[in-house]
Structure formats: structure tokens, C-alpha cells
């Protein structure tokens, strides 16, 4: 067990000029066999390992990562946390995650900087207004603390917004989730990694999984760049790269990989203390604790593994936001980046057993995986441990595509994709 | 930025002049009696998609030119267009041969029969 971070440990280490902090997680060499292996050390993978160890006491497990921990989509998103989805199954899983986020810093003894600063989803057309009203009713029925607010309230919460009623997309109101907000994306990965490691989980970085080896209908293990690892249970949590990996086990997934871009401006003084999503014009905006404006938009439309993205998608996002927030027009953008997101036909994730015994997939989070990390890990760990879907994960099974039981969230997900 | 070439009207432009239409050569499981189409076949037709790292066969529409749909073979890692060809055609032979994974399976009998969509 690791020593806990506290005011006393800070003081103690300050005495030694901070030279004696122990490593947050080990770098073990892989054992030849594990009870379960998670492929992908992003937020979802690490959370899965953490809850497998914590809730199910399964500690002879490993998380195997091609690059470095948290270096994929966990480090490439816009850190928004909310649960105001339309369909019941989505509300259930995203609200489970949001609730866990509230306690996460405490649970992990690691500050994930969850900041429930409120999420506003602007209504800029009559249709959007009605659609969000419907979502608001669905959310209220599910017990979520959400409401529609007037243009005046929008202006009060976010004074930088352009409230000119004659602009192309005027503000007609907004759908507001006061308990949504943002978190520190890297800290979520690091916190889960440290938590899982201290429970005995091996986190193996720089170890690419080349294929999944089968023994008939069962999983036998994984071939990696560091040799073969024997295991009976493999959980694949590799976002955009999931379809090529499970193909090595003879499995097809209803997934297409696209590039989603985001960008940040130079840091400025605080101008915005909530998250604003403008779906009609395809953009979302929040301000980081460092003062950068964090901007995200829609995906590039075509299949893409380049992690780079195109200028037209960026331009589309920025043009739209400049009209809604005129003061950002002369901001310099410091950085942009792209992440490869895995898109399903109904824009809802897949948390499922597969036809191969012992092979589980957790993917298809598309443009909105970060907000779901704790909930996703929680139910996926339960699904893997008990070899049956957790009740909250059950609607997200692969069989929904066979049965035509889709969870259509392409509208509620709030971005063009 | 993708530079796309329309094989129908010859127009060349960037990706904003065109519209991406997803995977190409998706065959509808047609039989004389729709009841003969199994649930799995229907699922594959609707949702299962090739998602390769590398050569991908897909459809595009020439939005600001002739307005016609056409086919393209593009690399999803380098974004390079290897070829564009008509909507009723199969890819050039060498690209069908270069196809890997599920695509290779898909083109196997088509290569044997010669080029017919």
C-alpha cells in the first residue's frame, strides 16, 4: 500500500526538498500469466483495472498499453463532464459516472480537480429548443438536477455571450445542468493508475498488443511486443483502434474510426466559469484553470487514423464560436490536436461480452468518453468479473445491433458526428 | 486537407467541395423473399463496417461539381487517394490485389470473375 498524499506528507517531503516522493506507479516486467488483462491504459482501462481490484478483489491483473499511460484520447479531450442525455440507458451510465466523479478525488486520494461549474447547452433554433425541452423532461423524470433557462439567465451566467436577438443563431435559452462541469483529464488517468497500482495491478507501458490468441472458442492470451501473456480474460479498451485489434480474434465490430479535434487558446484572465455547448453551430467552449479557452467541435467526416485532422473542421468550429462569443475573435490559438474516436451506428458505446469466451469489449464512446470514465470502468469491471453484463451495461451489449434495439444518442451527444 | 478528384466531371477540390459517403461496395442482402434475410445479415448490412488502418474503399459525392457519387480508394493512415473510379465500377485490379483483411476476402471472387461491380 502506498503512503497517502496529505498535508502532512507534503510537509514531510518539503523538508527533504521533495527528493523522496515515491513513484506513483511501478514499471513492472510482465508476468507470464494473469487472471485478467486490460488492453489500453487510458481512463476507461485504468478505471476498469481499479474497480476490478477494489470492488472484486481481483489483483493478479495487468493493464497493457502500447504507448504511455493516458497518452491516447484521455489526454486529447476537452474534459467535459455531464450526464444530460436523452435515453434512459445513457442517463443511467453517465449519471453513475458523474456521481462517482464527485467523490473521485477522495476515493483515489488524488486530486482529479472535478469542478462542477455547470454545463449550458445553448438553444439557437426553435427546433433545438424543443429537442432540449424533451431531454429536460426525460432527465427530470430520471431524477437529474437539470432545467431549461431563459436567455437572460444565460447572459447572467456567461456575460461574454452574444445575446443580439438579430444574429444568425440567436440565443433562445439553454438547457442547464448545474452539477456538470470539467475535470483534470491527466489527473483522472494518473489517479486511477496510482490507485490500481497500489492495489497490486501491473501497469505495463510501451508494450503493444499485436494479437489476441484464441484456443477454440476461448481466449488463450495476448501476443505482445514483450512476448506472450497467458490469460483467460481480456478486456479490450482501446478506443479508435479497437476494431483492428479484435479482428485478430476473428471478431467484427460495428465501429468506424474518425478524427475529433480540439484546440486551446493562449491563457487569458477568467471570462467564463461554466461549460457552454453550442450544438447548432457545432462548438463547445470552457476555460481551463490555467486560463486557456478549451474549444472543441465536430469530427472530420471520413475514416481516419492520422490523429491530425483537417483545417476545414477547425475553421468550422472557430467561425461558429466567434459569432456566439465575439470577444474570442482576436485570441491566438496555441495548440490543436486530434484523437481517433470510435463511432458506432447509434452513437452509443459498446460494453459487452463477445462471441469469444473471455473476450470483452468496452468501446464506441465516440466523442464523449471522458465524462463516462468512472461509470464505464465500474460496470465493465463487474461485467468482466462476473462474466455477465452489469445491469447498467446490459443495454449497451453488442446484441443490440442484432435485435435492432438501438440507443440513439446522436442528437443528445451535442456535436456533429 | 484532402484534395479530391472527381472521376466523373474531372473537378478537383478540397474536402469541403465533396461529401463523404462511408464505406463502398456494401451489398444489400437481397433475395427474392425478404424473410430469407437473416438478422445477422441485416445487421452486417446496416452496421458492420470495414475500419482498416490503411487502404479503404469508400464513396464520395462531387458536391460543387457534377453532383454525382463516385468511389475512392484512400489510405486512412496517410490520407492519400490511391484512385477514384465510377460508382458502378470495381477498383483498379492492382488495388483489389493490394487489399488486405476483410477487403481481400471481399474482392477475392471479384478478381476471379473480372471487373464487374
Amino acid at each position: 500500500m502506498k503512503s497517502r498524499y496529505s498535508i502532512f506528507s507534503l510537509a514531510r517531503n518539503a523538508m527533504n526538498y521533495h527528493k523522496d516522493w515515491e513513484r506513483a506507479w511501478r514499471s513492472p516486467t510482465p508476468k507470464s500469466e494473469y487472471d485478467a488483462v486490460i488492453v489500453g491504459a487510458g481512463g476507461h482501462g485504468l478505471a476498469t483495472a481499479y474497480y476490478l481490484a477494489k470492488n472484486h478483489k481481483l489483483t493478479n491483473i495487468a493493464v497493457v498499453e502500447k504507448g504511455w499511460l493516458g497518452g491516447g484520447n484521455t489526454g486529447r479531450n476537452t474534459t467535459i463532464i455531464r450526464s444530460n442525455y436523452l435515453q434512459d440507458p445513457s442517463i443511467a451510465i453517465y449519471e453513475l459516472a458523474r456521481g462517482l466523479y464527485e467523490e473521485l478525488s477522495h476515493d483515489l486520494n488524488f486530486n482529479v480537480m472535478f469542478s462542477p461549474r455547470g454545463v449550458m447547452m445553448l438553444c439557437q433554433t426553435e427546433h433545438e429548443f424543443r429537442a432540449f425541452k424533451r431531454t429536460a423532461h426525460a432527465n427530470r423524470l430520471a431524477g437529474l438536477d437539470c432545467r431549461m433557462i431563459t436567455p437572460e439567465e444565460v447572459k447572467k451566467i456567461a456575460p461574454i455571450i452574444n445575446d443580439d436577438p438579430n444574429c444568425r443563431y440567436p440565443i433562445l435559452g439553454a438547457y442547464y445542468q448545474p452539477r456538470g462541469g470539467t475535470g483534470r483529464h491527466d489527473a483522472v488517468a494518473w489517479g486511477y493508475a496510482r490507485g490500481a497500482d497500489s492495489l497490486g495491478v501491473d501497469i505495463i507501458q510501451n508494450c503493444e498488443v499485436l494479437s489476441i490468441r484464441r484456443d477454440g472458442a476461448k481466449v488463450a492470451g495476448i501476443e505482445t511486443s514483450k512476448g506472450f501473456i497467458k490469460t483467460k480474460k481480456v478486456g479490450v479498451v482501446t478506443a479508435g483502434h479497437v476494431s483492428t485489434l479484435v479482428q485478430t480474434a476473428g471478431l467484427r465490430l460495428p465501429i468506424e474510426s474518425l478524427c475529433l479535434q480540439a484546440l486551446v487558446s493562449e491563457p487569458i484572465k477568467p471570462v467564463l466559469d461554466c461549460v457552454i455547448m453550442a450544438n447548432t453551430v457545432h462548438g463547445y467552449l470552457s476555460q481551463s484553470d490555467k486560463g486557456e479557452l478549451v474549444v472543441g467541435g465536430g469530427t472530420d467526416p471520413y475514416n481516419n487514423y492520422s490523429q491530425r485532422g483537417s483545417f476545414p473542421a477547425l475553421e468550422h468550429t472557430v467561425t461558429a464560436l466567434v459569432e456566439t462569443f465575439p470577444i474570442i475573435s482576436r485570441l491566438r490559438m496555441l495548440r490543436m490536436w486530434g484523437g481517433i474516436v470510435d463511432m458506432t451506428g447509434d452513437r452509443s458505446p459498446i460494453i459487452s461480452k463477445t462471441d469469444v469466451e473471455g473476450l470483452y469489449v468496452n468501446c464506441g464512446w465516440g466523442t464523449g468518453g471522458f465524462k463516462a470514465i468512472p461509470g464505464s470502468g465500474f460496470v465493465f469491471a463487474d461485467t468482466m468479473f462476473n462474466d455477465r453484463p452489469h445491469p447498467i451495461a446490459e443495454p449497451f451489449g453488442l446484441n443490440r445491433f442484432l435485435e435492432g434495439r438501438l440507443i440513439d444518442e446522436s442528437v443528445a451527444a451535442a456535436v456533429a458526428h | 486537407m484532402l484534395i479530391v478528384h472527381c472521376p466523373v466531371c474531372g473537378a478537383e477540390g478540397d474536402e469541403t467541395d465533396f461529401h463523404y459517403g462511408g464505406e463502398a461496395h456494401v451489398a444489400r442482402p437481397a433475395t427474392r423473399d425478404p424473410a430469407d434475410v437473416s438478422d445477422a445479415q441485416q445487421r452486417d448490412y446496416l452496421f458492420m463496417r470495414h475500419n482498416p488502418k490503411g487502404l479503404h474503399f469508400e464513396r464520395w459525392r462531387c458536391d460543387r461539381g457534377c453532383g454525382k457519387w463516385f468511389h475512392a480508394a484512400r489510405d486512412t493512415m496517410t490520407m492519400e487517394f490511391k484512385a477514384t473510379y465510377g460508382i458502378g465500377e470495381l477498383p483498379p485490379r492492382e488495388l483489389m490485389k493490394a487489399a488486405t483483411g476483410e477487403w481481400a476476402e471481399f474482392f477475392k471472387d471479384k478478381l476471379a470473375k473480372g471487373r464487374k461491380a
Side-chain angles (χ1 to χ4, degrees):
Chain A
M1 195 67 189
K2 289 211 155 35
S3 64
R4 290 180 65 79
Y5 292 142
S6 69
I7 187 82
F8 304 109
S9 75
L10 188 64
R12 198 167 53 243
N13 280 285
M15 305 277 206
N16 301 330
Y17 299 95
H18 298 288
K19 283 184 294 195
D20 299 330
W21 287 107
E22 63 183 325
R23 294 186 76 94
W25 52 84
R26 297 161 296 132
S27 291
T29 41
K31 292 186 226 166
S32 59
E33 184 172 356
Y34 287 99
D35 292 339
V37 171
I38 315 291
V39 185
H44 292 262
L46 292 165
T48 306
Y50 175 72
Y51 291 118
L52 267 174
K54 188 190 168 207
N55 297 349
H56 306 288
K57 313 293 175 219
L58 196 64
T59 51
N60 183 28
I61 57 179
V63 184
V64 181
E65 165 61 44
K66 175 171 76 171
W68 66 94
L69 181 161
N73 291 354
T74 308
R76 289 169 178 269
N77 60 75
T78 50
T79 77
I80 296 165
I81 296 165
R82 60 186 182 89
S83 59
N84 49 1
Y85 279 70
L86 176 63
Q87 311 286 351
D88 288 344
S90 317
I91 297 172
I93 191 156
Y94 289 107
E95 179 59 13
L96 170 70
R98 201 202 53 78
L100 287 168
Y101 262 126
E102 287 191 336
E103 293 296 318
L104 199 56
S105 295
H106 194 199
D107 183 24
L108 295 174
N109 180 230
F110 199 99
N111 187 4
V112 301
M113 294 162 75
F114 174 58
S115 162
R117 58 185 69 179
V119 174
M120 264 201 299
M121 308 182 75
L122 298 182
C123 305
Q124 291 174 291
T125 64
E126 198 57 50
H127 309 89
E128 197 175 22
F129 190 88
R130 284 185 212 158
F132 274 133
K133 218 166 165 182
R134 180 181 173 214
T135 310
H137 289 317
N139 288 177
R140 298 287 294 263
L141 279 172
L144 260 61
D145 174 24
C146 298
R147 64 194 158 91
M148 298 298 290
I149 56 175
T150 62
E152 292 72 35
E153 284 175 279
V154 172
K155 184 72 179 170
K156 207 173 152 197
I157 296 169
I160 62 164
I161 212 159
N162 176 10
D163 63 345
D164 181 353
N166 294 319
C167 67
R168 187 175 176 197
Y169 293 112
I171 309 296
L172 305 176
Y175 179 38
Y176 187 49
Q177 182 172 30
R179 294 160 80 97
T182 60
R184 175 82 169 90
H185 52 332
D186 292 323
V188 171
W190 297 335
Y192 272 121
R194 182 170 175 272
D197 180 87
S198 67
L199 294 170
V201 175
D202 282 359
I203 300 167
I204 301 156
Q205 301 181 68
N206 297 312
C207 178
E208 183 174 3
V209 176
L210 306 168
S211 66
I212 298 164
R213 196 193 286 179
R214 278 173 67 162
D215 175 16
K218 290 184 199 161
V219 157
I222 50 169
E223 295 287 355
T224 76
S225 55
K226 294 187 177 177
F228 179 70
I229 299 174
K230 195 176 162 193
T231 181
K232 287 196 175 76
K233 281 182 196 243
V234 176
V236 180
V237 202
T238 52
H241 306 276
V242 68
S243 34
T244 43
L245 182 57
V246 299
Q247 210 170 40
T248 61
L251 209 66
R252 280 186 83 186
L253 289 177
I255 294 262
E256 285 186 283
S257 299
L258 307 173
C259 183
L260 178 68
Q261 297 177 85
L263 59 162
V264 290
S265 72
E266 56 192 330
I268 53 173
K269 289 203 171 177
V271 292
L272 182 67
D273 64 353
C274 71
V275 179
I276 296 186
M277 315 199 63
N279 307 354
T280 294
V281 296
H282 300 156
Y284 38 99
L285 187 72
S286 62
Q287 189 165 20
S288 76
D289 296 338
K290 281 185 284 186
E292 303 148 330
L293 291 183
V294 185
V295 177
T299 58
D300 284 12
Y302 40 84
N303 291 35
N304 182 343
Y305 280 102
S306 76
Q307 282 193 339
R308 203 168 293 153
S310 70
F311 291 117
L314 282 180
E315 195 180 355
H316 181 68
T317 304
V318 172
T319 319
L321 287 174
V322 166
E323 183 172 295
T324 310
F325 308 96
I327 72 155
I328 71 170
S329 69
R330 279 185 287 172
L331 272 186
R332 272 170 292 225
M333 289 297 163
L334 284 192
R335 293 178 278 130
M336 57 71 62
W337 60 91
I340 303 306
V341 297
D342 40 347
M343 230 39 117
T344 55
D346 61 356
R347 304 312 189 225
S348 286
I350 298 168
I351 311 169
S352 186
K353 291 173 65 173
T354 66
D355 293 340
V356 183
E357 199 183 321
L359 182 62
Y360 307 84
V361 289
N362 183 354
C363 59
W365 291 96
T367 58
F370 177 74
K371 65 176 80 70
I373 285 173
S376 154
F378 192 93
V379 299
F380 192 50
D382 186 87
T383 302
M384 281 184 70
F385 183 77
N386 294 307
D387 193 39
R388 53 110 188 86
H390 182 278
I392 289 180
E394 196 162 10
F396 297 100
L398 269 170
N399 53 1
R400 75 173 188 270
F401 297 99
L402 192 67
E403 295 161 7
R405 191 175 35 74
L406 303 180
I407 306 165
D408 187 2
E409 285 290 0
S410 61
V411 179
V415 286
H417 57 214
Chain B
M1 180 88 74
L2 301 185
I3 302 298
V4 192
H5 173 84
C6 173
V8 184
C9 68
E12 194 168 82
D14 70 51
E15 59 194 79
T16 60
D17 298 324
F18 291 83
H19 185 90
Y20 179 63
E23 185 182 314
H25 309 296
V26 180
R28 192 179 178 133
T31 54
R32 281 178 191 282
D33 183 3
D36 288 343
V37 179
S38 71
D39 287 355
Q41 279 175 313
Q42 186 68 6
R43 172 201 59 196
D44 291 356
Y45 167 64
L46 289 173
F47 300 110
M48 294 298 181
R49 292 292 176 262
H50 294 340
N51 190 23
K53 287 181 193 175
L55 193 57
H56 187 241
F57 299 91
E58 56 201 25
R59 297 183 304 169
W60 287 80
R61 183 178 183 268
C62 182
D63 272 359
R64 296 188 191 166
C66 60
K68 294 274 196 280
W69 284 95
F70 60 91
H71 281 145
R74 185 177 57 95
D75 191 307
T76 60
M77 301 283 279
T78 64
M79 303 292 122
E80 185 195 351
F81 278 90
K82 304 278 187 194
T84 52
Y85 51 98
I87 197 72
E89 292 171 27
L90 281 170
R93 265 193 108 73
E94 67 275 12
L95 286 176
M96 284 202 273
K97 281 185 187 155
T100 54
E102 293 165 40
W103 280 120
E105 293 294 308
F106 180 83
F107 290 126
K108 216 178 339 182
D109 38 323
K110 305 210 157 72
L111 272 168
K113 278 186 207 155
R115 293 187 59 186
K116 224 172 109 194

